[in-house]
Amino acid sequence: MKIFQAMMSRRRFLQASGTAGAVGATAAGITGLTGLTQAKEARASRPRGETKITKNICHQCPARCGIDVYTTDGRVHAIYGDTGNPIANGKLCPKGHLGSYFLYDPDRFKGPMKRTNPNKGRNEDPGFVPISWDEAFDTIAARLNNLRERGESHRFAHFYGRGWGASDAGLYGDFGKLYGTPNAAIGHASMCAEGSKRAKRATDGNDSYNSHDLRKTNYLLIMGASFLEAFRPYNNMMQMWGEMRSKSPKTRVTTVDVRMNPTMAASDRALYIKPATDGAFALAVAHVILTEGLWERDFVGDFTNGRNQFEAGKTLSKDAFNEKWVHGLIDWWNEELKDRTPEWAEQITTIAAKDIRQTAIEFGSTRPAMAIFERGPTGHTNGTYNGMAIHSLNALVGSLFAEGGLGYQMGPAYGALPVNSDDYLDDYARNGAWKNQPRIDMARTERWPMTSHMMQEAGPNHLKGDPYKMDTAMFYSTNPIWTAPNPKAWEEALKDVFIIDTSPFPGETAMFADIVLPESTYLERLQDSPTYPFEGWPMTALRVPAIDPIYDTKHFGDMLIEIGKRINGPTGEFYKKLDNIENVLRHRAAGFANAPGDNGVNDFESWKEKGVWYRKPYHWRQIRGEFYEWEGESYSKRMTPAEVKEKLLRTPSGKFEFKSGFLEQHADYINREMGIPKERVGYVQWVEPKHTGGNRDLYFVTPKTPMHAEGRGANIPHAISIHQPIAGGRDTVYLEVNPETAKARGIRNGDRVRITSDLGSIEAECRYVAAHRPDTLVLPFEFGHWAQGRWAKDRGPGHSGEITANVSDPISGLASYYTGKVSLERA
Ligand SMILES: Nc1nc2c(c(=O)[nH]1)N[C@H]1C(S)=C(S)[C@@H](COP(=O)(O)OP(=O)(O)OC[C@H]3O[C@@H](n4cnc5c(=O)[nH]c(N)nc54)[C@H](O)[C@@H]3O)O[C@H]1N2
Ligand SMILES: Nc1nc2c(c(=O)[nH]1)N[C@H]1C(S)=C(S)[C@@H](COP(=O)(O)OP(=O)(O)OC[C@H]3O[C@@H](n4cnc5c(=O)[nH]c(N)nc54)[C@H](O)[C@@H]3O)O[C@H]1N2
Ligand code: SF4
Ligand SMILES: [Mo]
């Protein structure tokens, strides 16, 4: 009898899991399995097939780890780190292994659809009905052609978040130029980490994140960057941590944060800083490096008489110092730094003067040393100035382009596209009215002259009709209706815009879509992925589909090309020649023929096989104050100052600027927006932050955790169930509160609490964490979705974005996510 029952259930299981792509059914079958016997039988009954391993790139964060995807009988069943990928080195963070949950998410969109309910809102069912791809593309193209004919093509906007490379966001430039819209590429950078890029642009002239030579560094000062939770490339950071902390001499680490994160817990010294005051700390460190005579003379220069004359409070004559690769040092000292003593900084940062001095002496006397930072110091209204002060420390100790120091990421040796967009411009593309229109987000206009993107402004601007109203907007891997600060403004804004969403999953933006064009998941698509800043040498990886799309989905790049083909005039011709993404990538890979990768990759086929092209070494090196280029065997080609200015230190002076020419070019704007006297705007300096929240008494940060995948991981059940390992969050996230702070408000561990900002309130469950600053509340980001599938929707506490005001650093445009003050009470 028992045997009969077991056989029955086994048969039922096999029926349910029948191989022909019945993916959702299989998941249900597995859930239905309860006993060990059944599991064993399921294993025994698995049909034997050949296992195929394909190369791919994890999609969950910008680390871009290379993965080996294991597929047997058409089913992806395992993902491991690719041993041949220099970032992954055969390892992954826990999220990487969970990628097949995206592929087999039962809530995925199964094919293109259109909306039937004209009303949009959280509680409106969109009434999606399936349509063909042709109908979808024709509908969109008809709208775009019509806009163009009316001279209103600027009212079409493309929004993107995680752009990967030449096969997706890399196509936007040509689209904008040919079709005629300034809004062809509104990226999420200003909702991400733009502050560090702009701080670097202002000081060393490069508008980019740094590459790092972590293996060789002996001192790391980490300020508001989650090295062991988020800092890019995350998985590799964990590997580097192991190397740095086990080599001899061990890399010493001081971490400055507003809460106890794992990085701080693992460091040699933990310094709790008052939020938004990192600039003051870094200036005091710089002050001590100078007064103690610890600066790198080969890079910075020296006093003409060879004696250190930096003395607190004392101005100096410019002639007394010969600057080498820095600009404005003595002016900076006289105008700002001479008074920035550790005692001064203690008043601002709450970090004891003796700890600041000690950190400065260690940092200044250990070579090579690096100061790194990310969204902590820059997620405030004074973010760019904070970042500039921190980055100045790298110049003072000569770490730029040095062994064990910081560089800039090189791009891949890609070939040209088969067609050149310049040959396909019609009169409208060249001279149409669209040319005089600003971007909808007002980036790079008088309103935000120093920014590259201002996505968070686009929704509110549309709402005001200033500079105009959008007509149609297409979203690629971004969901600002949920991730932007004050996202409810976006819910209002997107009601009367024709929305095209490309997410494979039913996210919030998709709920407002008029047309859904579901993209294939990353395991099903062909896509390139040049590395984010890593070790500097160029690298680009490839996503090779592990299986054919299991639903009726396409690659975003192919959607863009298909829409392009349907645009009237030469634009359509251009896209017909481009044809498809594989063609694009084959032409890009042709560039490898003249620059074969270190692993032998020299064309499209070998790229597919190995999954990654890279070419070491890094091309440039600064050695004891001289810059060299690699010449086949060594860094032997000495660079002239003109070459350094053109290729590396791309500032007006061709040097690292403590008095920033870039900021001085915008003196009127900075003076108007930040109240800094015009003649002082260029200096790396302390600027008071402007917190939102009026008299509220607590800071509020929403940091990333190891299980967090930007805003797109909440539909992975395993990831969200262990999202907050430190505070013990299971299937939810807790609000982490210092017990003193909680008790003063009569809040017990585990109580339901209300967090209130200027925008309103959200509720959460309180968890005592004694290691955080008493004035700072911590609520990891990713929960509180009102869409995004069954595991994400309505789970956990309220959404932190809803109490995050939309204010930004006027210079970088980075949304000040960490700057709003809140109050806390029992709910
Ligand atoms: N695991 C994981 N890794 C990721 C991502 C992910 O989703 N998950 N996303 C990637 C993306 S898109 C980004 S932008 C990066 C971001 O990488 P990070 O900037 O490193 O990450 P955050 O968690 O935003 O913030 C870093 C730290 O700043 C602290 N902080 C807040 N305010 C202040 C302050 O005023 N001063 C100081 N010193 N510290 C402060 C926070 O407590 C936090 O520990 O991570 C990338 N890596
Ligand atoms: N309160 C608060 N808000 C924050 C932050 C914070 O710390 N606190 N962090 C900010 C940061 S650093 C960032 S980078 C932004 C990120 O914010 P966004 O730019 O909005 O990016 P994601 O949240 O990752 O949204 C990705 C969207 O793409 C969809 N998607 C997932 N996979 C695919 C795919 O394969 N193809 C396509 N076409 N779509 C896909 C998802 O369903 C989702 O709708 O959020 C910011 N928002
Ligand atoms: S989530 Fe990021 S760090 Fe983790 S495996 Fe994927 S790409 Fe790598
Ligand atoms: Mo980000």
Side-chain angles (χ1 to χ4, degrees), residues 58-65 92-96 234-235:
C58 179
H59 188 267
Q60 298 177 62
C61 92
R64 307 191 165 194
C65 298
L92 295 178
C93 92
K95 294 189 294 294
Y234 171 47
N235 168 18

Side-chain angles (χ1 to χ4, degrees), residues 221 223 273 277-291 332-333 335-346 348-349 356 360 382 385-393 396 658 680 683-688:
L221 173 62
M223 302 193 66
I273 195 163
T277 67
D278 296 72
F281 175 90
L283 289 168
V285 171
H287 175 100
V288 174
I289 288 174
L290 293 181
T291 55
W332 182 40
W333 171 263
E335 292 295 323
E336 177 73 17
L337 216 52
K338 72 178 191 328
D339 304 318
R340 299 315 185 201
T341 60
E343 289 69 24
W344 166 82
E346 175 175 337
I348 293 175
T349 61
I356 300 175
N382 58 354
Y385 280 107
N386 283 338
M388 290 167 69
I390 299 167
H391 197 40
S392 294
L393 303 178
L396 289 179
F658 299 122
R680 274 184 60 84
Y683 292 113
V684 178
Q685 62 187 283
W686 168 239
V687 175
E688 291 281 345

Side-chain angles (χ1 to χ4, degrees), residues 242-253:
E243 290 217 24
M244 290 188 300
R245 303 290 278 169
S246 57
K247 78 178 173 63
S248 182
K250 162 172 141 177
T251 307
R252 285 187 63 82
V253 183

Side-chain angles (χ1 to χ4, degrees), residues 163-176:
W164 295 94
S167 45
D168 47 89
L171 300 169
Y172 280 136
D174 284 337
F175 191 96

Side-chain angles (χ1 to χ4, degrees), residues 412-541:
Y414 273 165
L417 289 179
V419 265
N420 183 345
S421 54
D422 286 337
D423 302 336
Y424 292 82
L425 300 174
D426 60 11
D427 216 38
Y428 182 83
R430 276 206 196 85
N431 309 309
W434 70 276
K435 287 240 155 176
N436 304 320
Q437 294 290 347
R439 287 168 46 134
I440 180 71
D441 62 351
M442 297 298 273
R444 298 172 219 169
T445 69
E446 267 181 17
R447 177 67 198 89
W448 299 101
M450 307 174 79
T451 59
S452 58
H453 299 277
M454 284 307 288
M455 190 190 279
Q456 68 271 33
E457 296 292 295
N461 287 353
H462 170 83
L463 215 47
K464 288 182 285 196
D466 178 15
Y468 44 79
K469 289 252 179 210
M470 285 183 281
D471 174 88
T472 304
M474 184 159 174
F475 291 82
Y476 171 59
S477 267
T478 193
N479 188 21
I481 196 167
W482 192 74
T483 48
N486 189 13
K488 282 187 172 161
W490 280 78
E491 283 178 49
E492 274 317 297
L494 295 193
K495 280 183 177 159
D496 63 350
V497 183
F498 188 88
I499 303 289
I500 305 153
D501 190 37
T502 62
S503 174
F505 314 105
E508 283 79 3
T509 304
M511 292 303 106
F512 275 58
D514 292 274
I515 293 217
V516 173
L517 303 180
E519 184 166 45
S520 307
T521 64
Y522 64 101
L523 301 174
E524 304 162 296
R525 67 186 189 235
L526 181 72
Q527 186 171 30
D528 69 320
S529 167
T531 186
Y532 256 66
F534 170 45
E535 290 183 350
W537 34 270
M539 165 168 162
T540 181

Side-chain angles (χ1 to χ4, degrees), residues 11-168:
R11 272 190 54 190
R12 227 179 287 131
F13 172 70
L14 287 177
Q15 274 165 6
S17 65
T19 43
V23 170
T26 308
I30 288 167
T31 320
L33 279 179
T34 46
L36 187 63
T37 336
Q38 287 161 324
K40 251 193 202 155
E41 290 195 37
R43 218 175 292 136
S45 67
R46 191 185 295 143
R48 279 160 193 264
E50 212 173 299
T51 298
K52 188 177 73 169
I53 302 173
T54 41
K55 300 293 176 184
N56 208 301
I57 301 299
C58 179
H59 188 267
Q60 298 177 62
C61 92
R64 307 191 165 194
C65 298
I67 53 178
D68 282 342
V69 183
Y70 286 64
T71 307
T72 306
D73 295 320
R75 285 183 54 81
V76 173
H77 53 88
I79 296 175
Y80 298 110
D82 175 1
T83 50
N85 179 285
I87 289 180
N89 297 305
K91 302 171 183 76
L92 295 178
C93 92
K95 294 189 294 294
H97 299 277
L98 303 175
S100 54
Y101 279 87
F102 286 114
L103 173 61
Y104 297 128
D105 182 336
D107 297 320
R108 273 184 68 178
F109 290 131
K110 311 289 189 293
M113 295 186 296
K114 68 176 178 196
R115 181 182 203 94
T116 54
N117 178 358
N119 300 325
K120 294 184 180 180
R122 268 190 205 199
N123 299 318
E124 295 285 348
D125 178 349
F128 288 134
V129 295
I131 51 173
S132 68
W133 282 100
D134 273 331
E135 183 183 343
F137 292 143
D138 288 345
T139 309
I140 294 163
R143 280 191 86 88
L144 299 196
N145 281 324
N146 184 284
L147 278 176
R148 204 173 193 263
E149 272 152 32
R150 298 199 317 251
E152 295 181 11
S153 55
H154 61 282
R155 295 177 60 209
F156 171 60
H158 271 299
F159 293 91
Y160 73 101
R162 195 57 53 213
W164 295 94
S167 45
D168 47 89

Side-chain angles (χ1 to χ4, degrees), residues 251-263:
T251 307
R252 285 187 63 82
V253 183
T254 290
T255 294
V256 181
D257 207 292
V258 300
R259 57 163 188 137
M260 179 58 77
N261 67 5
T263 314

